[in-house]
Amino acid sequence: MAGVIRKLQICCKGRSKYSVRMPQLSFHLAPGLRAALNWTGTRSASSGTLQIKDSLNFWCGGRVNLKDVKSKPEPVYEPATGRVMCQLQACGAAEVDIAVRSASAAFTVWSKLAGMERARVMLEAARLIEKRREEIAELEVVNNGKSITEARLDVDSARLCIEYFAGQATTLSGQHVQLPGGSFAYTRREPLGVCVGIGAWNYPFQIAAWKSAPAIACGNSMVFKPSPVTPVTAVLLAEIYSQAGAPEGLFNVVQGGVETGSQLCHHPTVAKVSFTGSVPTGKKIMEMASRGVKPVTLELGGKSPLIIFEDSDLENAVRGALMANFLSQGQVCSNGTRVYVHSSILPQFLKEVVRRTKAIQIGDPLLDETRMGALVSKPHLDKVLGYVNQAKKEGARVLCGGEPFTPADTKLKDGYYMTPCVLGSCTDDMTCVREEIFGPVMSVMSFDTEEEVLRRANDSTLGLAAGVFTKDVKRAHRVIENLQAGSCFINNYNITPVEVPFGGYKASGIGRENGQVTIEFYSQLKTVIVEMGDVDSLF
Ligand code: NAD
């Protein structure tokens, strides 16, 4: 093995401890959200202090320091401050090969375990995630820039997903088919082998869990490559699986970007690629996987419609529109960024949405009162601000936000902040309505009839998500039936219980994550025909 295994060592300059209590909120919340908002523990990180020294690669059961790697190290930034928090060394073909072989060795052991035995390890991993919830959430915030409140929910979602698929591990089964003369056939649901997971930067820890949980529940092993923008937390999941009793090599992490990713996709031992990221990269992944006839799961981008009818509960519709646009600084694939509002309620809707958007507290993402942190990188911030400028040029009206923002705290002065933006007077042909912006920018349009809004909502090459607000139950289901989207919401938006499948139609992807159906995407079916009589030979 090329590297040296070391223990986690996070150097923390000026480490401060403090605790914050959130005020009770007046409206109803899902239990997980309430727990995240009412957190009262102590904090060990503060923005501008964390330096990561340890290796972020993990295979053969431990962290691995790379030796003799030719690639130039790339800086990894803390979005809240614009500071470099570590240097990332990309894995080359040799490291990818070691990680895949490590996963292959683990597969031979893991795939033979009973579902109940796999479940036991997974449940222990879930317990360890719960125990380390705050530490994982803090690291996610420092590397990604999202608010600590949201990061806690992401960690909870990762844990719930592992718990859910631990349950599924015990249920894998086939079918018995009766054939003439007492003969019969049966099917066996079997794992695929070594699966590759490639993640985006917006939900780094959660994506690693959403991919690994169904994979290992089915008896596969995994090599995971996080985004080079957010490489820090996937390795914690690797450590946790290992501490929970997983065999060495069950879940491995290799760091790197485009090249490392393609080496993984092309590796002959890899049986499947599960990818979360943009549409253009998804197409490349599919092309690479096709050369080895490997199945793919593709969770890609979106430009989803949210339709608000005149009979909606306006308070809920406004909350829904904010949840559909401003979570994670707007960097959410399923965001409902094309908001169609019935013309008869447009003025009230806009007044309320703009009032609440202006009140969103932007600032240090590690503070509990912060609701919007920093965007993930400077180039990405510039890209999002560029979309706002383009929208203005094309005739949209900026009703609020869309400007760079500098928090009062001087240590945050170089962070990547902007004010959340609501664009009015949008039309279907504008760039802000057609392209995925992946930032806190809501485009609002008015409509008059159901037929018209359906046609406009479906006029997109993407089909990840869609939402409808109405009190008319028949209309709600009729509209949803006719929307071309994989993940739909009625009278809510952007909630993702792990029990239900998530994924897109059209160019937004192939396959699903979460829910029972995901077992099908991480396993294959073997058919066995059993003859109980004599062989009828034609020869
Ligand atoms: P991206 O496509 O740039 O990168 C995603 C990952 O692919 C990264 O790990 C990257 O290093 C890797 N990669 C890039 N080129 C590659 C190649 N040629 N071969 C192999 N790997 C390669 O996406 P991003 O900017 O990290 O994420 C933002 C995008 O992800 C948005 O479009 C968003 O909608 C989408 N996304 C989708 C979902 C979903 O579930 N549908 C979830 C999160 C993000």
Side-chain angles (χ1 to χ4, degrees):
M1 204 175 79
V4 181
I5 298 166
R6 294 204 298 141
K7 284 231 163 75
L8 173 66
Q9 196 189 74
I10 297 170
C11 297
C12 195
K13 287 186 268 159
R15 183 180 273 256
S16 68
K17 293 229 179 233
Y18 55 91
S19 69
V20 186
R21 183 180 287 277
M22 281 297 297
Q24 288 287 337
L25 295 188
S26 55
F27 51 88
H28 80 278
L29 294 166
L33 186 52
R34 189 176 289 285
L37 288 166
N38 291 336
W39 180 80
T40 56
T42 51
R43 171 74 34 76
S44 58
S46 64
S47 290
T49 60
L50 275 173
Q51 284 292 336
I52 307 286
K53 298 275 179 181
D54 280 284
S55 171
L56 299 171
N57 295 294
F58 193 104
W59 54 76
C60 299
R63 289 189 185 235
V64 181
N65 278 323
L66 302 187
K67 281 183 183 166
D68 308 325
V69 177
K70 288 178 196 71
S71 64
K72 199 169 132 256
E74 293 289 337
V76 177
Y77 296 92
E78 177 185 37
T81 61
R83 187 185 54 99
V84 175
M85 61 183 291
C86 65
Q87 296 287 337
L88 191 73
Q89 191 87 50
C91 288
E95 290 77 29
V96 164
D97 187 53
I98 295 172
V100 172
R101 279 196 277 130
S102 161
S104 183
F107 174 72
T108 55
V109 181
W110 183 252
S111 59
K112 295 296 174 207
L113 294 183
M116 197 67 92
E117 289 171 303
R118 294 200 294 269
R120 212 168 284 135
V121 172
M122 293 177 73
L123 289 174
E124 175 61 8
R127 193 188 67 78
L128 293 172
I129 289 174
E130 176 138 51
K131 209 170 143 200
R132 295 176 69 177
R133 179 188 193 230
E134 201 56 22
E135 174 204 347
I136 301 166
E138 284 178 0
L139 270 179
E140 197 79 315
V141 170
V142 175
N143 193 192
N144 170 279
K146 66 172 69 188
S147 76
I148 184 73
T149 306
E150 285 194 41
R152 287 185 196 122
L153 292 172
D154 297 356
V155 177
D156 292 346
S157 173
R159 172 180 56 78
L160 290 167
C161 182
I162 293 169
E163 283 173 352
Y164 175 77
F165 282 108
Q168 294 291 319
T170 64
T171 68
L172 302 188
S173 57
Q175 209 187 0
H176 175 270
V177 184
Q178 293 171 356
L179 298 173
S183 294
F184 62 95
Y186 63 94
T187 57
R188 289 172 49 82
R189 192 151 282 287
E190 296 186 348
L192 298 162
V194 177
C195 298
V196 156
I198 298 180
W201 46 254
N202 59 343
Y203 285 86
F205 189 80
Q206 184 184 298
I207 290 174
W210 279 23
K211 294 198 182 303
S212 60
I216 67 173
C218 291
N220 304 286
S221 56
M222 178 164 269
V223 180
F224 185 80
K225 190 195 81 59
S227 163
V229 182
T230 52
V232 169
T233 48
V235 72
L236 297 184
L237 184 60
E239 277 184 343
I240 284 170
Y241 279 135
S242 189
Q243 285 159 8
E248 279 188 9
L250 182 70
F251 179 78
N252 310 273
V253 177
V254 296
Q255 301 289 349
V258 177
E259 271 199 32
T260 314
S262 8
Q263 279 153 357
L264 283 167
C265 295
H266 286 306
H267 198 290
T269 306
V270 168
K272 180 206 164 88
V273 183
S274 176
F275 170 77
T276 297
S278 63
V279 174
T281 311
K283 288 179 183 173
K284 287 182 198 151
I285 299 279
M286 197 168 171
E287 199 183 311
M288 287 188 277
S290 75
R291 289 189 213 157
V293 199
K294 297 171 188 176
V296 288
T297 294
L298 299 177
E299 294 288 348
L300 309 179
K303 187 72 199 178
S304 302
L306 170 60
I307 304 172
I308 299 174
F309 283 98
E310 64 279 19
D311 64 345
S312 305
D313 176 323
L314 193 66
E315 170 65 17
N316 277 322
V318 168
R319 284 186 203 164
L322 297 177
M323 289 292 281
N325 280 273
F326 298 137
L327 283 175
S328 255
Q329 297 73 244
Q331 303 163 138
V332 183
C333 51
S334 52
N335 270 0
T337 49
R338 290 187 286 146
V339 181
Y340 297 93
V341 183
H342 193 269
S343 54
S344 63
I345 57 162
L346 185 66
Q348 305 99 286
F349 175 85
L350 281 178
K351 190 168 162 229
E352 201 46 28
V353 153
V354 168
R355 186 182 73 76
R356 292 190 193 200
T357 301
K358 283 181 176 167
I360 292 173
Q361 195 150 343
I362 313 165
D364 188 339
L366 274 172
L367 298 181
D368 285 79
E369 57 269 31
T370 296
R371 285 292 164 272
M372 186 167 286
L375 275 72
V376 79
S377 69
K378 179 75 170 69
H380 188 63
L381 171 67
D382 291 343
K383 185 173 158 195
V384 174
L385 292 170
Y387 269 112
V388 176
N389 281 333
Q390 178 73 16
K392 282 193 241 175
K393 280 189 206 146
E394 291 178 18
R397 273 181 53 224
V398 176
L399 302 177
C400 66
E403 301 283 345
F405 179 80
T406 310
D409 185 343
T410 52
K411 72 170 181 279
L412 308 176
K413 70 178 176 16
D414 295 324
Y416 318 133
Y417 302 90
M418 69 174 280
T419 48
C421 178
V422 179
L423 295 174
S425 309
C426 296
T427 54
D428 293 356
D429 55 343
M430 288 179 181
T431 311
C432 63
V433 177
R434 303 221 64 84
E435 294 184 13
E436 185 186 41
I437 298 176
F438 222 51
V441 183
M442 178 193 303
S443 299
V444 183
M445 288 154 286
S446 77
F447 73 93
D448 291 308
T449 70
E450 184 181 312
E451 191 194 2
E452 168 213 339
V453 77
L454 267 172
R455 181 180 41 75
R456 293 168 62 195
N458 285 332
D459 181 20
S460 169
T461 55
L462 302 170
L464 184 52
V468 176
F469 275 83
T470 176
K471 284 188 195 140
D472 179 343
V473 72
K474 286 189 189 162
R475 171 153 68 186
H477 295 292
R478 186 172 62 235
V479 168
I480 287 293
E481 185 186 335
N482 288 296
L483 279 169
Q484 296 160 1
S487 303
C488 296
F489 306 91
I490 296 176
N491 292 333
N492 207 334
Y493 205 93
N494 263 346
I495 46 171
T496 48
V498 296
E499 301 91 329
V500 299
F502 178 83
Y505 279 13
K506 303 202 262 190
S508 287
I510 293 177
R512 291 292 177 271
E513 291 191 319
N514 293 337
Q516 244 179 335
V517 71
T518 298
I519 294 298
E520 289 175 27
F521 299 108
Y522 285 95
S523 61
Q524 54 193 338
L525 212 55
K526 179 178 278 173
T527 298
V528 184
I529 294 178
V530 182
E531 177 61 65
M532 297 296 280
D534 293 325
V535 175
D536 280 334
S537 175
L538 293 178
F539 309 101

